[in-house]
Coordinates of all heavy atoms in Angstrom, one line a residue:
M878 N 18.9 21.2 -21.9 CA 18.3 21.7 -20.7 C 16.8 21.4 -20.8 O 16.2 20.9 -19.9 CB 18.6 23.1 -20.4 CG 18.0 23.7 -19.1 SD 18.8 22.9 -17.7 CE 18.2 24.0 -16.5
H879 N 16.2 21.8 -21.9 CA 14.8 21.7 -22.1 C 14.4 20.2 -22.1 O 13.3 19.8 -21.5 CB 14.4 22.3 -23.4 CG 12.9 22.3 -23.7 ND1 12.0 22.9 -23.0 CD2 12.2 21.6 -24.7 CE1 10.8 22.7 -23.4 NE2 10.9 21.9 -24.5
R880 N 15.2 19.4 -22.7 CA 15.0 17.9 -22.7 C 15.0 17.3 -21.3 O 14.1 16.5 -21.0 CB 16.0 17.3 -23.6 CG 15.8 15.8 -23.9 CD 16.7 15.4 -25.0 NE 17.1 14.1 -24.7 CZ 18.1 13.5 -25.3 NH1 18.8 14.2 -26.3 NH2 18.5 12.3 -25.1
D881 N 15.9 17.7 -20.4 CA 15.9 17.3 -19.1 C 14.7 17.7 -18.3 O 14.1 16.9 -17.5 CB 17.2 17.8 -18.3 CG 18.4 17.1 -18.8 OD1 18.3 16.0 -19.4 OD2 19.5 17.7 -18.7
Y882 N 14.2 18.9 -18.6 CA 13.0 19.4 -17.9 C 11.8 18.5 -18.3 O 11.0 18.1 -17.5 CB 12.7 20.8 -18.3 CG 11.4 21.3 -17.9 CD1 11.1 21.7 -16.6 CD2 10.3 21.5 -18.8 CE1 9.8 22.1 -16.2 CE2 9.1 21.9 -18.4 CZ 8.8 22.2 -17.1 OH 7.6 22.6 -16.7
L883 N 11.7 18.2 -19.6 CA 10.6 17.3 -20.1 C 10.7 15.9 -19.5 O 9.6 15.4 -19.1 CB 10.6 17.3 -21.6 CG 10.3 18.5 -22.3 CD1 10.4 18.4 -23.9 CD2 8.9 19.0 -22.0
K884 N 11.9 15.4 -19.3 CA 12.0 14.1 -18.7 C 11.6 14.2 -17.2 O 10.9 13.3 -16.7 CB 13.5 13.6 -18.8 CG 13.9 13.1 -20.1 CD 15.3 12.6 -20.0 CE 15.8 12.2 -21.4 NZ 17.3 11.8 -21.3
A885 N 12.0 15.2 -16.5 CA 11.6 15.4 -15.1 C 10.1 15.6 -15.0 O 9.4 15.0 -14.1 CB 12.3 16.6 -14.5
K886 N 9.5 16.3 -15.9 CA 8.1 16.6 -15.9 C 7.3 15.3 -16.2 O 6.3 15.0 -15.5 CB 7.7 17.6 -16.9 CG 6.2 18.0 -16.8 CD 5.9 19.1 -17.8 CE 4.4 19.4 -17.7 NZ 4.0 20.3 -18.8
D887 N 7.8 14.5 -17.1 CA 7.2 13.2 -17.4 C 7.3 12.3 -16.2 O 6.3 11.6 -15.9 CB 7.8 12.6 -18.7 CG 7.2 11.3 -19.1 OD1 5.9 11.3 -19.2 OD2 7.9 10.3 -19.3
F888 N 8.4 12.2 -15.6 CA 8.6 11.4 -14.4 C 7.6 11.8 -13.3 O 6.9 10.9 -12.7 CB 10.0 11.4 -13.9 CG 10.3 10.5 -12.7 CD1 10.2 9.2 -12.8 CD2 10.5 11.1 -11.5 CE1 10.5 8.4 -11.7 CE2 10.8 10.4 -10.4 CZ 10.7 9.0 -10.5
A889 N 7.5 13.1 -13.1 CA 6.6 13.6 -12.0 C 5.2 13.2 -12.3 O 4.4 12.8 -11.5 CB 6.8 15.1 -11.9
T890 N 4.8 13.4 -13.6 CA 3.4 13.0 -14.0 C 3.1 11.6 -13.8 O 2.1 11.2 -13.3 CB 3.2 13.4 -15.5 OG1 3.4 14.8 -15.6 CG2 1.8 13.0 -16.0
Q891 N 4.1 10.7 -14.1 CA 3.9 9.3 -13.9 C 3.8 8.9 -12.4 O 3.0 8.1 -12.1 CB 5.1 8.5 -14.5 CG 5.1 8.5 -16.0 CD 6.3 7.8 -16.6 OE1 6.8 6.8 -16.0 NE2 6.9 8.3 -17.6
C892 N 4.6 9.6 -11.6 CA 4.5 9.4 -10.1 C 3.1 9.7 -9.6 O 2.5 9.0 -8.8 CB 5.6 10.1 -9.4 SG 7.2 9.5 -9.7
V893 N 2.6 10.9 -10.0 CA 1.3 11.3 -9.5 C 0.2 10.4 -10.0 O -0.7 10.0 -9.3 CB 1.0 12.8 -10.0 CG1 -0.4 13.2 -9.7 CG2 2.0 13.8 -9.4
R894 N 0.3 10.0 -11.3 CA -0.6 9.1 -11.8 C -0.6 7.7 -11.1 O -1.7 7.1 -10.8 CB -0.4 8.8 -13.3 CG -1.5 8.1 -14.0 CD -1.3 8.0 -15.5 NE -1.4 9.4 -16.1 CZ -0.5 9.9 -17.0 NH1 0.5 9.2 -17.4 NH2 -0.7 11.1 -17.4
A895 N 0.6 7.2 -10.8 CA 0.7 5.9 -10.1 C 0.0 6.0 -8.7 O -0.7 5.2 -8.3 CB 2.1 5.5 -10.0
Y896 N 0.4 7.1 -8.0 CA -0.2 7.3 -6.7 C -1.7 7.4 -6.7 O -2.4 6.7 -5.9 CB 0.4 8.6 -6.2 CG -0.1 9.1 -4.8 CD1 0.4 8.6 -3.6 CD2 -1.2 10.0 -4.7 CE1 -0.1 9.0 -2.4 CE2 -1.6 10.4 -3.5 CZ -1.1 9.9 -2.3 OH -1.6 10.3 -1.1
T897 N -2.3 8.1 -7.6 CA -3.7 8.3 -7.8 C -4.4 7.0 -8.2 O -5.4 6.6 -7.6 CB -4.0 9.4 -8.8 OG1 -3.4 10.6 -8.4 CG2 -5.5 9.6 -8.9
D898 N -3.8 6.3 -9.1 CA -4.4 5.0 -9.5 C -4.4 4.0 -8.4 O -5.4 3.3 -8.2 CB -3.6 4.4 -10.7 CG -3.8 5.2 -12.0 OD1 -4.7 6.0 -12.1 OD2 -3.0 4.9 -13.0
I899 N -3.3 3.9 -7.7 CA -3.3 2.9 -6.6 C -4.2 3.3 -5.5 O -5.0 2.5 -4.9 CB -1.8 2.8 -6.0 CG1 -1.0 2.0 -7.1 CG2 -1.8 2.0 -4.7 CD1 0.5 2.0 -6.8
Q900 N -4.3 4.6 -5.2 CA -5.2 5.1 -4.2 C -6.7 4.8 -4.6 O -7.5 4.4 -3.7 CB -5.0 6.6 -4.0 CG -5.6 7.2 -2.7 CD -5.2 8.6 -2.6 OE1 -5.1 9.4 -3.6 NE2 -5.1 9.1 -1.4
Q901 N -7.0 5.0 -5.8 CA -8.4 4.7 -6.3 C -8.7 3.2 -6.4 O -9.8 2.8 -6.1 CB -8.6 5.4 -7.6 CG -8.7 6.9 -7.5 CD -8.8 7.5 -8.9 OE1 -8.6 6.9 -9.9 NE2 -9.0 8.8 -8.9
A902 N -7.7 2.4 -6.7 CA -7.9 1.0 -6.9 C -8.0 0.3 -5.6 O -8.7 -0.7 -5.4 CB -6.8 0.4 -7.7
M903 N -7.4 0.8 -4.5 CA -7.4 0.2 -3.2 C -7.7 1.3 -2.2 O -6.8 1.6 -1.4 CB -6.0 -0.4 -2.9 CG -5.6 -1.5 -3.9 SD -4.1 -2.3 -3.4 CE -2.9 -1.2 -4.2
P904 N -8.9 1.8 -2.2 CA -9.3 2.9 -1.3 C -9.0 2.7 0.2 O -8.7 3.7 0.9 CB -10.7 3.2 -1.6 CG -11.2 2.0 -2.3 CD -10.1 1.3 -2.9
K905 N -9.1 1.5 0.7 CA -8.9 1.2 2.1 C -7.5 0.7 2.4 O -7.0 0.8 3.6 CB -9.9 0.3 2.6 CG -11.3 0.8 2.6 CD -12.3 -0.1 3.1 CE -13.7 0.5 3.0 NZ -14.7 -0.4 3.6
T906 N -6.8 0.2 1.5 CA -5.5 -0.5 1.8 C -4.3 0.1 1.0 O -3.2 -0.5 1.1 CB -5.6 -2.0 1.5 OG1 -5.9 -2.2 0.1 CG2 -6.6 -2.7 2.3
W907 N -4.5 1.2 0.3 CA -3.4 1.7 -0.5 C -2.2 2.1 0.3 O -1.1 1.9 -0.2 CB -3.9 2.8 -1.4 CG -4.2 4.1 -0.7 CD1 -5.4 4.4 -0.1 CD2 -3.3 5.2 -0.4 NE1 -5.3 5.7 0.5 CE2 -4.0 6.1 0.4 CE3 -2.0 5.4 -0.6 CZ2 -3.5 7.3 0.8 CZ3 -1.4 6.6 -0.2 CH2 -2.1 7.5 0.5
Q908 N -2.4 2.6 1.5 CA -1.2 3.0 2.3 C -0.4 1.8 2.7 O 0.8 1.9 2.7 CB -1.7 3.8 3.5 CG -2.2 5.2 3.1 CD -2.7 6.0 4.3 OE1 -3.2 5.4 5.3 NE2 -2.6 7.3 4.2
K909 N -1.0 0.7 3.1 CA -0.3 -0.5 3.4 C 0.4 -1.1 2.2 O 1.5 -1.6 2.3 CB -1.3 -1.5 4.0 CG -1.7 -1.2 5.4 CD -2.6 -2.3 5.9 CE -3.1 -2.0 7.3 NZ -4.1 -3.0 7.8
A910 N -0.2 -1.0 1.1 CA 0.3 -1.5 -0.2 C 1.6 -0.8 -0.6 O 2.6 -1.5 -1.1 CB -0.7 -1.4 -1.3
I911 N 1.7 0.5 -0.4 CA 2.9 1.2 -0.8 C 4.0 1.3 0.4 O 5.1 1.8 0.1 CB 2.6 2.6 -1.4 CG1 2.0 3.5 -0.4 CG2 1.8 2.4 -2.7 CD1 1.9 4.9 -0.9
Q912 N 3.6 1.0 1.6 CA 4.5 1.2 2.7 C 5.9 0.5 2.5 O 6.9 1.1 2.8 CB 3.8 0.8 4.0 CG 4.7 1.2 5.2 CD 4.9 2.7 5.4 OE1 4.0 3.4 5.3 NE2 6.1 3.1 5.5
P913 N 5.9 -0.8 2.1 CA 7.2 -1.4 1.9 C 8.1 -0.7 0.9 O 9.3 -0.6 1.1 CB 6.9 -2.8 1.4 CG 5.4 -3.0 1.8 CD 4.8 -1.7 1.8
Y914 N 7.5 -0.1 -0.1 CA 8.2 0.6 -1.1 C 8.8 1.9 -0.5 O 9.9 2.3 -0.8 CB 7.3 0.9 -2.3 CG 6.9 -0.4 -3.0 CD1 5.7 -1.0 -2.6 CD2 7.7 -1.0 -3.9 CE1 5.3 -2.2 -3.2 CE2 7.3 -2.2 -4.5 CZ 6.1 -2.8 -4.1 OH 5.7 -4.0 -4.7
K915 N 7.9 2.6 0.3 CA 8.4 3.8 1.0 C 9.6 3.5 1.9 O 10.5 4.2 1.9 CB 7.2 4.4 1.8 CG 6.2 5.1 1.0 CD 4.9 5.4 1.8 CE 5.2 6.5 2.8 NZ 3.9 7.0 3.4
D916 N 9.4 2.4 2.6 CA 10.5 2.0 3.5 C 11.8 1.7 2.8 O 12.9 2.1 3.2 CB 10.1 0.7 4.3 CG 8.9 0.9 5.3 OD1 8.6 2.1 5.6 OD2 8.4 -0.1 5.7
Q917 N 11.7 1.1 1.6 CA 12.9 0.8 0.9 C 13.5 2.1 0.3 O 14.8 2.2 0.3 CB 12.6 -0.2 -0.3 CG 13.8 -0.7 -0.9 CD 13.5 -1.8 -1.9 OE1 12.5 -2.4 -1.9 NE2 14.5 -2.1 -2.8
I918 N 12.7 3.0 -0.1 CA 13.3 4.3 -0.6 C 14.0 5.0 0.5 O 15.1 5.5 0.4 CB 12.1 5.2 -1.2 CG1 11.6 4.6 -2.5 CG2 12.7 6.6 -1.5 CD1 10.3 5.2 -3.0
Q919 N 13.3 5.1 1.7 CA 13.9 5.7 2.9 C 15.2 5.1 3.3 O 16.2 5.7 3.7 CB 12.9 5.8 4.0 CG 11.8 6.8 3.7 CD 10.7 6.8 4.7 OE1 10.3 5.7 5.2 NE2 10.2 7.9 5.0
S920 N 15.2 3.7 3.3 CA 16.4 3.0 3.6 C 17.6 3.3 2.6 O 18.7 3.5 3.0 CB 16.1 1.5 3.6 OG 17.2 0.7 3.9
E921 N 17.2 3.3 1.4 CA 18.2 3.6 0.3 C 18.8 5.0 0.5 O 20.0 5.3 0.4 CB 17.6 3.5 -1.1 CG 18.5 3.8 -2.2 CD 19.5 2.7 -2.5 OE1 19.2 1.5 -2.2 OE2 20.7 3.0 -2.9
T922 N 17.9 5.9 0.9 CA 18.3 7.3 1.1 C 19.3 7.4 2.3 O 20.3 8.1 2.2 CB 17.1 8.2 1.3 OG1 16.2 8.1 0.1 CG2 17.5 9.7 1.5
A923 N 18.9 6.7 3.3 CA 19.8 6.8 4.5 C 21.1 6.1 4.3 O 22.2 6.6 4.7 CB 19.1 6.1 5.7
S924 N 21.1 5.0 3.6 CA 22.4 4.3 3.4 C 23.3 4.9 2.3 O 24.5 4.8 2.4 CB 22.2 2.8 3.1 OG 21.5 2.6 1.9
S925 N 22.7 5.5 1.3 CA 23.5 6.0 0.2 C 23.8 7.5 0.3 O 24.7 8.0 -0.4 CB 22.7 5.8 -1.1 OG 21.6 6.7 -1.2
G926 N 23.1 8.2 1.1 CA 23.3 9.7 1.3 C 22.8 10.4 0.1 O 23.0 11.6 0.0
Q927 N 22.0 9.8 -0.7 CA 21.3 10.4 -1.9 C 20.1 11.2 -1.4 O 19.6 10.9 -0.3 CB 20.9 9.4 -2.9 CG 22.0 8.7 -3.6 CD 22.5 9.5 -4.7 OE1 21.8 10.3 -5.3 NE2 23.8 9.3 -5.0
T928 N 19.5 12.0 -2.3 CA 18.2 12.6 -2.0 C 17.2 11.5 -2.3 O 17.5 10.4 -2.8 CB 18.0 13.7 -3.0 OG1 18.0 13.2 -4.4 CG2 19.0 14.8 -2.9
L929 N 15.9 11.8 -1.9 CA 14.8 10.9 -2.2 C 14.8 10.6 -3.7 O 14.6 9.4 -4.1 CB 13.5 11.4 -1.8 CG 13.2 11.4 -0.3 CD1 11.9 12.1 0.0 CD2 13.1 9.9 0.2
T930 N 14.9 11.6 -4.5 CA 14.9 11.5 -6.0 C 16.0 10.6 -6.4 O 15.8 9.6 -7.2 CB 14.9 12.8 -6.7 OG1 13.8 13.6 -6.2 CG2 14.8 12.7 -8.2
G931 N 17.2 10.9 -6.0 CA 18.3 10.0 -6.4 C 18.2 8.6 -6.0 O 18.5 7.7 -6.7
S932 N 17.6 8.4 -4.8 CA 17.4 7.0 -4.3 C 16.4 6.3 -5.1 O 16.6 5.1 -5.5 CB 17.0 7.1 -2.8 OG 18.0 7.6 -2.0
V933 N 15.3 6.9 -5.4 CA 14.3 6.2 -6.2 C 14.7 5.9 -7.6 O 14.5 4.8 -8.1 CB 12.9 6.9 -6.1 CG1 12.8 8.1 -7.1 CG2 11.8 5.9 -6.4
L934 N 15.5 6.8 -8.1 CA 16.0 6.6 -9.5 C 17.0 5.4 -9.5 O 17.0 4.6 -10.4 CB 16.6 7.9 -10.1 CG 15.6 9.0 -10.4 CD1 16.4 10.2 -10.8 CD2 14.7 8.5 -11.5
M935 N 17.8 5.3 -8.5 CA 18.8 4.2 -8.3 C 18.0 2.9 -8.2 O 18.4 1.9 -8.8 CB 19.7 4.4 -7.2 CG 20.8 5.4 -7.4 SD 22.0 5.8 -6.1 CE 21.6 4.7 -4.8
I936 N 17.0 2.9 -7.4 CA 16.2 1.7 -7.2 C 15.5 1.3 -8.5 O 15.5 0.1 -8.9 CB 15.1 1.9 -6.1 CG1 15.8 2.0 -4.7 CG2 14.1 0.7 -6.1 CD1 14.9 2.5 -3.6
L937 N 14.9 2.2 -9.2 CA 14.3 1.9 -10.5 C 15.2 1.4 -11.5 O 14.9 0.5 -12.3 CB 13.5 3.2 -11.0 CG 12.4 3.7 -10.2 CD1 11.8 4.9 -10.8 CD2 11.3 2.6 -10.0
D938 N 16.4 1.9 -11.5 CA 17.5 1.5 -12.4 C 17.9 0.0 -12.1 O 18.0 -0.8 -13.0 CB 18.7 2.4 -12.4 CG 19.7 2.1 -13.5 OD1 19.3 2.1 -14.7 OD2 20.9 1.8 -13.1
R939 N 18.0 -0.3 -10.8 CA 18.4 -1.7 -10.4 C 17.3 -2.6 -10.9 O 17.5 -3.7 -11.3 CB 18.6 -1.7 -8.9 CG 19.9 -1.3 -8.5 CD 20.3 -1.8 -7.1 NE 19.3 -1.5 -6.1 CZ 19.4 -0.4 -5.3 NH1 20.5 0.4 -5.4 NH2 18.5 -0.1 -4.4
I940 N 16.0 -2.2 -10.7 CA 14.9 -3.1 -11.1 C 14.9 -3.3 -12.6 O 14.7 -4.4 -13.0 CB 13.5 -2.5 -10.6 CG1 13.4 -2.5 -9.1 CG2 12.4 -3.2 -11.2 CD1 12.3 -1.7 -8.5
T941 N 15.1 -2.3 -13.3 CA 15.1 -2.4 -14.8 C 16.2 -3.4 -15.3 O 16.0 -4.1 -16.2 CB 15.4 -1.0 -15.4 OG1 14.4 -0.1 -15.0 CG2 15.5 -1.0 -16.9
H942 N 17.3 -3.4 -14.6 CA 18.4 -4.2 -15.0 C 18.5 -5.5 -14.2 O 19.6 -6.2 -14.3 CB 19.7 -3.4 -15.0 CG 19.8 -2.3 -15.9 ND1 19.4 -1.0 -15.5 CD2 20.0 -2.2 -17.2 CE1 19.5 -0.2 -16.5 NE2 19.8 -0.9 -17.6
S943 N 17.5 -5.9 -13.5 CA 17.5 -7.0 -12.6 C 17.3 -8.4 -13.3 O 17.5 -9.4 -12.7 CB 16.5 -6.9 -11.5 OG 15.2 -6.9 -12.0
G944 N 16.8 -8.3 -14.5 CA 16.5 -9.6 -15.2 C 15.0 -10.1 -15.0 O 14.7 -11.1 -15.4
L945 N 14.3 -9.3 -14.2 CA 12.9 -9.7 -14.0 C 12.1 -9.5 -15.3 O 12.5 -8.8 -16.2 CB 12.2 -8.7 -13.0 CG 12.7 -8.8 -11.5 CD1 12.1 -7.6 -10.7 CD2 12.4 -10.1 -10.9
G946 N 11.0 -10.2 -15.4 CA 10.1 -10.1 -16.5 C 9.6 -8.7 -16.6 O 9.5 -8.0 -15.6
M947 N 9.3 -8.2 -17.8 CA 8.8 -6.9 -18.0 C 7.6 -6.5 -17.2 O 7.4 -5.4 -16.7 CB 8.6 -6.6 -19.5 CG 8.6 -5.1 -19.8 SD 9.9 -4.2 -19.0 CE 10.7 -3.5 -20.4
D948 N 6.7 -7.5 -17.1 CA 5.5 -7.2 -16.3 C 5.8 -6.9 -14.9 O 5.2 -6.0 -14.3 CB 4.5 -8.4 -16.4 CG 3.9 -8.6 -17.7 OD1 3.8 -7.6 -18.5 OD2 3.4 -9.7 -18.0
K949 N 6.7 -7.7 -14.3 CA 7.1 -7.4 -12.9 C 7.9 -6.1 -12.8 O 7.6 -5.4 -11.8 CB 8.0 -8.6 -12.4 CG 8.5 -8.5 -11.0 CD 7.5 -8.7 -10.0 CE 8.1 -8.8 -8.6 NZ 7.2 -8.6 -7.6
V950 N 8.7 -5.8 -13.7 CA 9.4 -4.5 -13.7 C 8.4 -3.3 -13.7 O 8.6 -2.4 -12.9 CB 10.4 -4.4 -14.9 CG1 10.9 -3.0 -15.1 CG2 11.5 -5.4 -14.8
K951 N 7.4 -3.4 -14.6 CA 6.4 -2.4 -14.6 C 5.7 -2.2 -13.3 O 5.4 -1.1 -12.9 CB 5.4 -2.6 -15.8 CG 6.0 -2.4 -17.2 CD 5.0 -2.8 -18.2 CE 5.6 -2.7 -19.6 NZ 4.6 -3.0 -20.7
I952 N 5.3 -3.3 -12.7 CA 4.6 -3.2 -11.4 C 5.4 -2.6 -10.4 O 5.0 -1.7 -9.6 CB 4.1 -4.6 -11.0 CG1 2.9 -5.1 -12.0 CG2 3.6 -4.6 -9.6 CD1 2.6 -6.5 -11.9
E953 N 6.7 -3.1 -10.3 CA 7.6 -2.5 -9.3 C 7.8 -1.0 -9.5 O 7.8 -0.3 -8.5 CB 9.0 -3.3 -9.3 CG 8.9 -4.7 -8.8 CD 8.7 -4.8 -7.3 OE1 9.5 -4.2 -6.6 OE2 7.7 -5.4 -6.9
H954 N 8.0 -0.6 -10.7 CA 8.2 0.8 -11.0 C 7.0 1.6 -10.6 O 7.1 2.6 -10.0 CB 8.4 1.0 -12.5 CG 9.8 0.8 -13.0 ND1 10.4 1.6 -14.0 CD2 10.8 -0.1 -12.6 CE1 11.6 1.2 -14.2 NE2 11.9 0.2 -13.3
Y955 N 5.8 1.1 -10.9 CA 4.6 1.7 -10.5 C 4.4 2.0 -9.0 O 4.1 3.1 -8.6 CB 3.4 0.9 -11.1 CG 2.2 1.7 -11.5 CD1 2.2 2.5 -12.5 CD2 1.0 1.6 -10.7 CE1 1.1 3.3 -12.9 CE2 -0.1 2.3 -11.1 CZ -0.1 3.1 -12.2 OH -1.2 3.8 -12.5
Y956 N 4.7 0.9 -8.3 CA 4.6 1.1 -6.8 C 5.7 2.0 -6.2 O 5.4 2.8 -5.3 CB 4.6 -0.3 -6.1 CG 3.2 -0.9 -6.1 CD1 2.7 -1.6 -7.2 CD2 2.4 -0.8 -5.0 CE1 1.5 -2.2 -7.2 CE2 1.1 -1.3 -5.0 CZ 0.6 -2.0 -6.1 OH -0.6 -2.6 -6.1
F957 N 6.9 1.9 -6.8 CA 7.9 2.8 -6.3 C 7.6 4.2 -6.6 O 7.9 5.1 -5.8 CB 9.3 2.4 -6.8 CG 10.0 1.3 -6.0 CD1 10.1 0.0 -6.4 CD2 10.5 1.7 -4.7 CE1 10.7 -0.9 -5.6 CE2 11.1 0.7 -3.9 CZ 11.2 -0.6 -4.4
M958 N 7.1 4.5 -7.8 CA 6.8 5.9 -8.1 C 5.6 6.4 -7.3 O 5.7 7.5 -6.8 CB 6.4 6.0 -9.6 CG 7.6 5.8 -10.5 SD 7.3 6.1 -12.3 CE 6.1 4.8 -12.7
A959 N 4.6 5.6 -7.0 CA 3.6 6.0 -6.1 C 4.1 6.3 -4.7 O 3.8 7.3 -4.0 CB 2.5 4.9 -6.0
A960 N 5.0 5.4 -4.2 CA 5.6 5.6 -2.9 C 6.4 6.8 -2.8 O 6.4 7.6 -1.8 CB 6.4 4.3 -2.5
Y961 N 7.2 7.0 -3.8 CA 8.0 8.3 -3.9 C 7.2 9.5 -3.8 O 7.4 10.4 -3.0 CB 8.8 8.2 -5.2 CG 9.5 9.5 -5.5 CD1 10.6 10.0 -4.8 CD2 9.1 10.3 -6.6 CE1 11.2 11.1 -5.1 CE2 9.8 11.4 -6.9 CZ 10.8 11.9 -6.2 OH 11.5 13.1 -6.5
Y962 N 6.1 9.5 -4.6 CA 5.2 10.7 -4.5 C 4.6 10.9 -3.2 O 4.5 12.0 -2.7 CB 4.1 10.6 -5.6 CG 3.2 11.8 -5.6 CD1 3.7 13.0 -6.1 CD2 1.9 11.7 -5.1 CE1 2.8 14.1 -6.1 CE2 1.1 12.8 -5.1 CZ 1.5 14.0 -5.6 OH 0.7 15.1 -5.6
S963 N 4.2 9.8 -2.5 CA 3.6 9.9 -1.2 C 4.7 10.5 -0.2 O 4.3 11.1 0.8 CB 3.1 8.6 -0.7 OG 4.1 7.7 -0.3
L964 N 5.9 10.2 -0.4 CA 7.0 10.7 0.5 C 7.2 12.2 0.3 O 7.6 12.9 1.2 CB 8.3 10.0 0.3 CG 8.4 8.5 0.8 CD1 9.6 7.8 0.2 CD2 8.4 8.5 2.3
L965 N 6.8 12.7 -0.8 CA 7.0 14.1 -1.1 C 5.8 15.0 -0.6 O 5.9 16.2 -0.5 CB 7.1 14.3 -2.6 CG 8.4 13.7 -3.3 CD1 8.3 14.0 -4.8 CD2 9.6 14.2 -2.7
L966 N 4.7 14.3 -0.3 CA 3.5 15.0 0.2 C 3.7 15.6 1.6 O 4.4 15.1 2.4 CB 2.3 14.2 0.1 CG 1.9 13.8 -1.3 CD1 0.7 12.8 -1.2 CD2 1.5 14.9 -2.2

């Protein structure tokens, strides 16, 4: 149980950090930059019946196992985590 809590806390911290970093790096365009990711999370949620959290975790898992290069996987994860956090605000 404690281990799951730490994983959840680490994931939450990463999402907040991604959101903040993108917002600071693109002060005028950050919302447009993450909008496609937000749309995909919401679409996944609607079609799968999952929660937002379940949907974003499924998307991240698919990206991880997609065969993309690690740099692309990291970028995709980063934007999806920022978009997920923005949906929770």
Side-chain angles (χ1 to χ4, degrees):
M878 181 71 166
H879 182 66
R880 191 166 138 192
D881 290 338
Y882 170 76
L883 291 176
K884 285 182 184 179
K886 184 177 178 190
D887 183 48
F888 179 71
T890 300
Q891 289 178 37
C892 290
V893 172
R894 188 172 297 136
Y896 176 84
T897 304
D898 287 350
I899 289 171
Q900 197 175 32
Q901 290 174 349
M903 299 184 272
K905 295 182 181 181
T906 60
W907 69 272
Q908 290 177 330
K909 286 182 183 178
I911 65 171
Q912 189 60 50
Y914 299 90
K915 288 170 66 172
D916 293 344
Q917 192 171 342
I918 294 168
Q919 290 172 320
S920 176
E921 180 75 33
T922 300
S924 67
S925 69
Q927 291 281 330
T928 63
L929 282 175
T930 303
S932 295
V933 78
L934 291 174
M935 286 181 1
I936 291 168
L937 294 177
D938 188 56
R939 278 199 304 265
I940 292 167
T941 300
H942 296 97
S943 68
L945 293 172
M947 196 48 120
D948 290 341
K949 179 71 172 165
V950 167
K951 288 178 183 179
I952 291 167
E953 290 290 305
H954 277 216
Y955 210 68
Y956 276 83
F957 272 109
M958 289 187 295
Y961 169 68
Y962 181 71
S963 74
L964 288 168
L965 297 177
L966 295 177

